[in-house]
Amino acid sequence: MSINATLLGQAISFALFVWFCMKFVWPPLMKAIEERQKKIADGLADASRAEKALDLAQAKAGDQLKQAKEQAAEIIDAANKRKNQIVDEAKQEAEAERAKIIAQGQAEVEAERNRAKEELRKQLAILAVAGAEKIIERSVDEAANADIVDKLVAEL
Amino acid sequence: MAAQGEELTVQGYIQHHLTNATMCTTENGISFNYACQDAGFWTWHIDSLLFAVGLGVLFLWAFYKVGQKATAGVPGKFQCFVEILVEFVDGVVRDSFHGRNALIAPLGLTIFVWVFLMNLMDLVPVDFVPHAAVLMGIPYLKIVPTTDLNMTLGLSLSVFALIVYYSIKVKGVSGFVKELTLQPFNHWALIPVNFVLETVTLIAKPISLALRLFGNLYAGELIFILIAALLPWWAQWSMSLPWAIFHILVIVLQAFIFMMLTIVYLSMAHEDH
């Protein structure tokens, strides 16, 4: 085992290899690694940002839902009130109409009765006079008893 | 499997497995193996160099391909694997290296993956490739570059050069000299003692780096060779399988330690006292 020129050859090739590695091998590999690291870091940052945005959106959606429910309840309340109001109004109107119709009917019935009464009274007077005439024809003359007949008619 | 002309003995078998394919220039032009025994320093272990460069190119080519196609979208399986490695090395550098230097992380990645791949060749059964090479007329072939002290020293001395370079660049020449002479005892009379201590510390860094990796892998390889040399073929698996499984840990660990210590040493070089 002797030391010889092989040593020089090895040293020269070593120097060339290191130079080549430093110039052409290391930089692109390091660049790719660093780019990927950056990509991954960006991706992770994006993911956490998206998570935050999701939380925010969920909170907002919850708020809006609550608001909408409140509004719906208000609208239903108002509608119920209005309904009751309308029903009451209709009831009152119907009541008034009924009273009016009943009053009218009673007035008509009253008028009819009065008319019938008058008619009956007239015919009864005629009937009474006729009856009296028949009686008087036999006993006294008609003129002497006319005042009695009139009295009778007036009493009917 | 012995080289041609050698008798097949246990000693010869082991010797053959521990011999590199060498190349040198003699007066007859380019020569190989036996002719290079006396060539001295200017001998090249062409098998170590070939496998080291081949594995290095394989690693860089594969990672380069991934880098070109890399997207920030959903990555493929291989891109994932490469990115895990890159992030792992980047994390280690971030934890251990206090300073700003664009060189350190790619340097760490290159060391980790390249040394690991070179170590990984240790798990190829010891006879497969050398035997095939002998059949093709190549008498010696060692396929694990990190079992060659020249290879590990080549790496660690490069790291050493970086340590010295950054020490001087960050602290200036005077700062570097002060670090060598005024520590650990801050007194003018003890400058020589300090210098000896600090120089030993400094020199020990590349030497220990190289010897640790070389020693681990050489010993591991030697045990595989011994198992293959001493046991009958039908019993070898009972030893080599447990050792190979344990060795998976060793090769990753050694690659990691080499990278880690390089980063730590360079971090120390960047620290101004």
Side-chain angles (χ1 to χ4, degrees):
Chain A
M1 186 55 58
S2 54
I3 300 301
N4 58 35
T6 312
L7 188 155
L8 297 178
Q10 172 76 346
I12 291 167
S13 48
F14 181 44
L16 288 175
F17 287 163
V18 170
W19 170 79
F20 185 87
C21 182
M22 187 176 145
K23 212 78 183 163
F24 300 108
V25 174
W26 189 267
L29 286 171
M30 217 54 210
K31 196 173 141 251
I33 289 172
E34 274 162 8
E35 264 173 33
R36 178 151 349 96
Q37 273 178 336
K38 197 175 160 293
K39 248 187 183 178
I40 291 170
D42 286 354
L44 288 177
D46 279 350
S48 67
R49 212 172 319 133
E51 212 174 339
K52 247 178 237 161
L54 180 69
D55 279 354
L56 216 69
Q58 267 174 346
K60 211 171 158 189
D63 273 1
Q64 276 180 345
L65 208 65
K66 219 172 102 187
Q67 226 175 336
K69 268 183 189 163
E70 274 168 15
Q71 251 171 9
E74 263 169 43
I75 289 171
I76 289 170
D77 264 7
N80 274 337
K81 254 183 223 161
R82 180 92 188 104
K83 182 195 89 185
N84 289 340
Q85 207 181 344
I86 289 170
V87 168
D88 280 353
E89 270 172 23
K91 250 185 204 166
Q92 276 169 4
E93 236 168 86
E95 203 86 23
E97 192 76 8
R98 176 168 144 258
K100 215 169 93 186
I101 290 168
I102 288 172
Q104 219 174 0
Q106 272 174 346
E108 261 171 45
V109 168
E110 192 70 21
E112 195 69 23
R113 209 178 66 179
N114 287 347
R115 214 161 38 86
K117 237 185 193 172
E118 203 65 31
E119 191 84 7
L120 275 175
R121 194 186 284 165
K122 273 181 191 161
Q123 290 201 358
L124 191 60
I126 294 167
L127 206 62
V129 173
E133 263 176 14
K134 292 257 173 16
I135 297 166
I136 289 163
E137 239 174 59
R138 235 184 259 176
S139 55
V140 278
D141 81 346
E142 200 170 306
N145 296 318
D147 58 328
I148 297 168
V149 172
D150 279 346
K151 243 186 216 167
L152 275 172
V153 169
E155 270 169 28
L156 284 172
Chain B
M1 182 51 61
Q4 275 159 348
E6 281 176 23
E7 210 181 329
L8 183 57
T9 62
V10 169
Q11 204 187 354
Y13 175 85
I14 295 170
Q15 192 63 45
H16 173 251
H17 269 285
L18 295 178
T19 308
N20 282 100
T22 51
M23 186 184 85
C24 60
T25 31
T26 59
E27 54 266 36
N28 305 326
I30 294 172
S31 309
F32 296 96
N33 298 324
Y34 305 115
C36 288
Q37 272 165 347
D38 304 317
F41 181 77
W42 291 106
T43 311
W44 306 84
H45 289 165
I46 45 174
D47 48 358
S48 295
L49 282 172
L50 194 77
F51 277 97
V53 171
L55 290 168
V57 169
L58 181 74
F59 144 60
L60 287 174
W61 173 78
F63 276 45
Y64 177 74
K65 276 279 186 201
V66 171
Q68 291 307 298
K69 282 189 291 184
T71 57
V74 179
K77 287 199 174 67
F78 189 58
Q79 190 189 335
C80 259
F81 173 71
V82 167
E83 281 179 3
I84 287 168
L85 276 178
V86 168
E87 281 202 284
F88 166 67
V89 173
D90 196 49
V92 169
V93 171
R94 266 175 223 280
D95 288 344
S96 312
F97 185 79
H98 309 294
R100 289 186 61 81
N101 192 333
L103 173 72
I104 306 301
L107 175 75
L109 181 71
T110 310
I111 288 175
F112 183 57
V113 181
W114 192 25
V115 170
F116 169 75
L117 285 175
M118 291 194 285
N119 291 350
L120 189 66
M121 300 304 288
D122 213 4
L123 293 180
V124 177
V126 286
D127 271 324
F128 273 24
V129 183
H131 191 81
V134 167
L135 292 181
M136 285 179 340
I138 303 164
Y140 296 105
L141 191 67
K142 261 178 84 177
I143 63 164
V144 192
T146 40
T147 57
D148 185 343
L149 188 57
N150 289 300
M151 306 306 280
T152 58
L153 263 181
L155 287 173
S156 67
L157 288 179
S158 306
V159 171
F160 180 66
L162 284 175
I163 292 172
V164 174
Y165 171 73
Y166 281 116
S167 289
I168 291 173
K169 192 185 169 197
V170 172
K171 300 160 199 161
V173 177
S174 61
F176 185 49
V177 171
K178 265 186 208 159
E179 199 179 65
L180 285 181
T181 52
L182 295 177
Q183 283 181 350
F185 310 110
N186 195 356
H187 189 278
W188 61 269
L190 289 167
I191 283 176
V193 179
N194 287 338
F195 185 68
V196 171
L197 282 174
E198 284 295 307
T199 310
V200 169
T201 308
L202 190 67
I203 302 296
K205 284 174 184 173
I207 301 294
S208 65
L209 264 185
L211 287 181
R212 181 182 303 108
L213 181 59
F214 165 72
N216 270 286
L217 271 290
Y218 191 77
E221 177 77 345
L222 198 60
I223 285 171
F224 277 124
I225 294 169
L226 281 174
I227 291 167
L230 297 177
L231 291 181
W233 64 266
W234 46 266
Q236 284 175 10
W237 66 270
S238 65
M239 300 287 282
S240 58
L241 179 68
W243 181 243
I245 291 170
F246 175 65
H247 213 58
I248 293 172
L249 179 69
V250 173
I251 60 179
V252 179
L253 199 63
Q254 287 306 318
F256 176 71
I257 288 172
F258 203 109
M259 174 192 77
M260 193 70 206
L261 286 177
T262 301
I263 294 167
V264 170
Y265 289 158
L266 286 172
S267 178
M268 284 159 71
H270 278 74
E271 270 162 25
D272 211 344
H273 294 285

